[in-house]
């Protein structure tokens, strides 16, 4: 799987340890851009950028994502 460029919502959920509905919420709220190719796909580079950008953030409330206290 390390050579893959595109991942499904289910695969991203499994990678992140979250359910598909939460991945759809990340996409819907603009945090995780996706491509619609007859089903939503997320680029590996987008996943890497998301993890780097939002490291240390609390996504409990998608409308109010905040940095977690150190």
């Amino acid at each position: 799987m390390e050579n893959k460029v595109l991942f499904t919502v289910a695969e991203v959920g499994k990678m992140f340890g979250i359910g598909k509905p939460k991945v759809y919420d990340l996409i819907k709220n603009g945090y995780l851009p996706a491509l619609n190719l007859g089903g939503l796909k997320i680029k590996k580079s987008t996943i890497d950028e998301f993890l780097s950008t939002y490291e240390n953030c609390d996504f409990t409330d998608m409308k109010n994502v905040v940095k977690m206290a150190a």
Side-chain angles (χ1 to χ4, degrees):
M1 207 194 284
E2 61 276 348
N3 292 331
K4 286 185 72 162
V5 176
L6 295 174
F7 294 88
T8 65
V9 168
E11 290 171 325
V12 172
K14 194 171 190 176
M15 269 187 248
F16 289 3
I18 59 177
K20 289 193 315 186
K22 191 75 163 184
V23 177
Y24 283 117
D25 284 345
L26 290 169
I27 293 167
K28 182 179 79 176
N29 286 289
Y31 294 108
L32 190 62
L35 304 164
N36 190 343
L37 302 171
L40 293 178
K41 307 286 189 223
I42 300 97
K43 294 186 335 184
K44 181 181 183 330
S45 60
T46 299
I47 295 166
D48 293 340
E49 185 177 331
F50 171 84
L51 293 172
S52 176
T53 300
Y54 294 107
E55 185 173 17
N56 250 359
C57 286
D58 181 353
F59 277 86
T60 303
D61 178 0
M62 289 274 184
K63 302 292 183 201
N64 186 31
V65 174
V66 295
K67 287 275 188 189
M68 294 186 296

